[in-house]
Amino acid sequence: MVVREKILDMVVSCFKRHGAKGLDTPAFELKEMLTEKYEENSGLIYDLKDQGGELLSLRYDLTRLSFLTYLCEVPFARYLAMNKLKKMKRYQVGKVWRRESPTIAQGRYREFCQCDFDIAGQFDPMIPDAECLKIICEILSGLQLGDFLIKVNDRRIVDGMFAVCGVPESKFRTICSSMDKLDKMSWKDVRHEMVAKKGLAPEVADRIGSYVQCHGGISLIEQMFQDPRLSQSKQALMGLADLKLLFEYLTLFGIAEKISFDLSLARGLDYYTGVIYEAVLLQTPAQVGEQPLNVGSVAAGGRYDELVATFDPKGHKVPCVGLSIGVERIFYIVEQRLKTSAEKVRTTETQVFVATPQKNFLRERLKLIAELWDAGIKAEMLYKNNPKLLTQLHYCENTGIPLVVIIGEQEQKEGVIKLRSVASREEVAIKRENLVAEIQKRLSGS
Amino acid sequence: MVVREKILDMVVSCFKRHGAKGLDTPAFELKEMLTEKYEENSGLIYDLKDQGGELLSLRYDLTRLSFLTYLCEVPFARYLAMNKLKKMKRYQVGKVWRRESPTIAQGRYREFCQCDFDIAGQFDPMIPDAECLKIICEILSGLQLGDFLIKVNDRRIVDGMFAVCGVPESKFRTICSSMDKLDKMSWKDVRHEMVAKKGLAPEVADRIGSYVQCHGGISLIEQMFQDPRLSQSKQALMGLADLKLLFEYLTLFGIAEKISFDLSLARGLDYYTGVIYEAVLLQTPAQVGEQPLNVGSVAAGGRYDELVATFDPKGHKVPCVGLSIGVERIFYIVEQRLKTSAEKVRTTETQVFVATPQKNFLRERLKLIAELWDAGIKAEMLYKNNPKLLTQLHYCENTGIPLVVIIGEQEQKEGVIKLRSVASREEVAIKRENLVAEIQKRLSGS
């Protein structure tokens, strides 16, 4: 709980740093979102039949990032269309309840945590897109999850690549969904699926194979511009031009070395229209000797320029780009790490403890602690008339309170208060009237 | 949304200042809480039949504070019993979903906001109780809702008063529930209900009447100690002794003048065992000439020492005292006030805007803004290659951003940046390398 709260606080403060306003989009019913009628009309996601049970199970797996992204971007797009908004920068962070299954009439609700940031509006190319990648970098660095990489591709490059390789247009979606498995399966197995299961010509699959194994930086973009096959596709060239501009902005942001242009990245969701990205942790933060944590991607997103129009009666377009942070996964990683380490997590934020070594100092303690509270200082004391000093100091050690204020007979006589550091056990006497100022000085210094 | 977030932030920071840890108690199903079986077993609240439809409707009125308190204290007590916890100081703030009605099989869920603080554990008398009242004062003062008063009574005084006035024990609950209406009805009407509807002897009602119209401070407590009738009740004397001690602590906390001992206060919930309290606003913060806002109480709580034992198979007792803040009401008051005033609420927290007066400065702006973000400064810029300066300055005025950083040809030549205050329109040139430090200095000063 405390760990989760700290992670969410950190994410929210990053979203606010980028000027986003908090907005809860009205909760969508999964049922409504998943009825085939709804989908056929809007064509939002892959054909249900395409992947057999797999996609269906993905839909109810609320820990899958692509599903989480979907659950947030679709309601956001609908919200923009319903309210005729042309521009907005918003985040949504917090607990959400969704009906678990649409088939059970009396569906149970399941709680999960959502962390999204989106920029809607018609702007000059790649500026908001670059900001989204900057935000992912800031959050993953800030959470100290270890080294990470953000894979970037563009939906137009994916489609262009399929076209020039000779994939029939009717097979784009199903081949795209096979490609999406490359993070868990080898190219050999994916190729087998494409050829044996999905009836792709072997030479077409091999052409795709020559691309999807490529990843790199700006030089790979330049190389693809010269690629005799890919450069035949106007779509792909548009995607490449945007990625080139994106990399220029990412360099100015100082994060280009964290980004990898990866031709195997497809992203499961059908409504992406431009740049797509997915962040993966490079080394798991588990202890040496432990099994590495397989956590999949921890953030993802992309550009979806057509989604708002599908909800607008007049079909007005509002271009959008956004990202989802996979906080459920991040919670898991951080909690696993804490379990294997000896690190103790504080469950409170108390800064100062008010103690006494003598009997009959309850009233003095009450006056003192009220003064601290009124100055905005987080303070605690034991709810006992005459607690033992050792009990009080143990309480501070056990709960991680860094400072102790001690008031006793001698201090009262001299008009002072003792201020003790729990870690160093050092004590200094401070004039009663300077106490709050001294504590504030110490707290701001640490 | 922004207003609500600020109010909740303020409440949470107060709870944390008092050393509480955040804890979500597992969501209770209203259905489960309201089945008569459940209630008869635990005897938690008034007999359903007692008040006819009134209590039933109260139960589903999620804006009623007593209902909100109930929805939080009962799950908290159950949580303590289930986890065999003897001690805990916790808060719960946030959105909660509850099934709206237990009778409809496919119940809809309704969202509301919960704000509770509770202290569980066996401690020396009235110390945690006094802290709860201090917390209510800090929150209501901090939210600047205008003048307020906290009515205080003790459940043992209520019961003792009924006994010495001659109320038959079988009528305690129903008479208590009539008394609870004194904040909305005159004594005359309440007396009529007691006598005509509930069959209380008129002279008994008159005896009650002589008490419930009393309210005051420590002197009223002293007076009640001497009261020939009330002092016959041992229960009442115990309650009075605790209130006397409580007032002593409240004086040390500097809040005694905000507290009124009020013999008419009953609090609807049956599980309270000691001190009870309810905060009311004395003057509504509405504009002059407006209808005063009738908002009822804005915070309430009390001591419930027996509730945990009702959930514990072995009946172990864990004394508790707690409070609920009526945030839904507070949201309403603040939102009404904002509507009638010209005050503009900022929807973002952006501190600095990065602008340029010339074309072709996108790259410089991107480098600059990344520097600000990396320093933790909340910053925005327009997502345009060549925005007009006036558009950029208007954006700051409209969204309330206080500072503008301006970079143009001249500044670049001189190695400086212009820092502009939006309010005063003053501009100063600052060395490029000192920019972050200067902004941080200005922001911490304001």
Side-chain angles (χ1 to χ4, degrees), chain A residues 123-171:
Chain A
F123 302 113
D124 282 329
M126 307 321 283
I127 310 178
D129 314 61
E131 184 170 4
C132 287
L133 291 167
K134 177 81 171 86
I135 287 173
I136 295 178
C137 284
E138 285 178 24
I139 289 173
L140 296 184
S141 306
L143 292 175
Q144 296 176 293
L145 297 172
D147 210 6
F148 63 88
L149 189 74
I150 310 179
K151 300 179 191 173
V152 171
N153 199 359
D154 191 292
R155 206 48 177 274
R156 293 162 295 175
I157 299 174
V158 177
D159 286 351
M161 178 185 79
F162 286 163
V164 299
C165 289
V167 180
E169 227 183 302
S170 62
K171 282 198 178 20

Side-chain angles (χ1 to χ4, degrees), chain A residues 5 16-18 24 89 95 97 105-106 124 131 134 248 349 362-363 373-374 379 383 385, chain B residues 5 16-18 24 89 95 97 105-106 124 131 134 248-249 349 362-363 373-374 379 383 385:
Chain A
E5 210 183 293
K16 285 185 178 169
R17 191 161 61 237
H18 286 264
D24 279 346
K89 194 170 179 177
K95 280 191 291 180
W97 288 78
Q106 219 186 333
D124 282 329
E131 184 170 4
K134 177 81 171 86
E248 199 192 322
E349 298 178 8
L362 174 65
R363 279 150 190 81
W373 286 332
D374 292 340
Y383 300 127
N385 291 323
Chain B
E5 211 183 294
K16 284 185 180 171
R17 190 161 61 238
H18 286 263
D24 280 345
K89 194 169 180 179
K95 279 191 291 180
W97 287 77
Q106 222 186 331
D124 282 330
E131 184 169 4
K134 176 82 172 87
E248 200 191 320
Y249 297 164
E349 299 176 9
L362 173 64
R363 279 150 191 82
W373 286 330
D374 291 340
Y383 301 128
N385 290 322

Side-chain angles (χ1 to χ4, degrees), chain B residues 196-234:
Chain B
K197 278 200 192 164
K198 305 199 167 170
L200 201 66
E203 66 276 18
V204 173
D206 289 336
R207 275 179 224 131
I208 295 175
S210 69
Y211 289 112
V212 297
Q213 288 168 84
C214 296
H215 47 87
I218 295 177
S219 61
L220 181 61
I221 301 176
E222 296 294 356
Q223 185 191 320
M224 287 298 141
F225 265 120
Q226 310 303 326
D227 186 82
R229 207 189 309 271
L230 197 62
S231 59
Q232 301 295 307
S233 160
K234 269 192 193 164

Side-chain angles (χ1 to χ4, degrees), chain B residues 288-321:
Chain B
V288 181
E290 290 265 321
Q291 287 285 93
L293 288 163
N294 187 356
V295 291
S297 59
V298 289
R303 176 162 284 283
Y304 50 106
D305 285 351
E306 313 287 346
L307 191 57
V308 177
T310 66
F311 292 106
D312 188 309
K314 290 182 182 163
H316 287 303
K317 205 173 121 172
V318 181
C320 293
V321 63

Side-chain angles (χ1 to χ4, degrees), chain A residues 1-2 5 9 12-13 16-24 27 31 89 91 95-97 99 105-107 109 111 117 119 123-125 127-128 131 134 138 245 248-249 252-254 347-350 362-364 366-367 369-370 372-386 395, chain B residues 1-2 5 9 12-13 16-24 27 31 89 91 95-97 99 105-107 109 111 117 119 123-125 127-128 131 134 138 245 248-249 252-254 347-350 362-364 366-367 369-370 372-386 395:
Chain A
M1 171 83 188
V2 179
E5 210 183 293
D9 280 354
V12 169
S13 76
K16 285 185 178 169
R17 191 161 61 237
H18 286 264
K21 63 177 83 172
L23 171 80
D24 279 346
K31 203 172 85 181
K89 194 170 179 177
Y91 71 85
K95 280 191 291 180
V96 186
W97 288 78
R99 204 178 275 275
Q106 219 186 333
Y109 280 71
E111 192 183 286
F117 173 96
I119 301 170
F123 302 113
D124 282 329
I127 310 178
E131 184 170 4
K134 177 81 171 86
E138 285 178 24
L245 190 59
E248 199 192 322
Y249 296 164
L252 291 165
F253 281 165
T347 55
T348 62
E349 298 178 8
T350 309
L362 174 65
R363 279 150 190 81
E364 256 309 317
L366 289 173
K367 268 180 77 170
I369 201 166
L372 299 180
W373 286 332
D374 292 340
I377 295 165
K378 296 168 189 154
E380 276 186 86
M381 54 175 266
L382 294 190
Y383 300 127
K384 283 180 80 73
N385 291 323
N386 300 309
Y395 183 84
Chain B
M1 169 83 190
V2 179
E5 211 183 294
D9 279 354
V12 169
S13 76
K16 284 185 180 171
R17 190 161 61 238
H18 286 263
K21 62 178 84 175
L23 172 80
D24 280 345
K31 203 171 86 179
K89 194 169 180 179
Y91 70 86
K95 279 191 291 180
V96 186
W97 287 77
R99 202 179 275 275
Q106 222 186 331
Y109 281 72
E111 193 183 283
F117 173 95
I119 301 171
F123 302 114
D124 282 330
I127 312 178
E131 184 169 4
K134 176 82 172 87
E138 285 178 25
L245 190 60
E248 200 191 320
Y249 297 164
L252 292 165
F253 281 164
T347 56
T348 61
E349 299 176 9
T350 309
L362 173 64
R363 279 150 191 82
E364 256 311 315
L366 288 173
K367 267 180 77 171
I369 201 168
L372 299 180
W373 286 330
D374 291 340
I377 295 165
K378 295 168 190 154
E380 274 185 86
M381 54 175 265
L382 294 190
Y383 301 128
K384 282 181 79 73
N385 290 322
N386 300 309
Y395 182 83

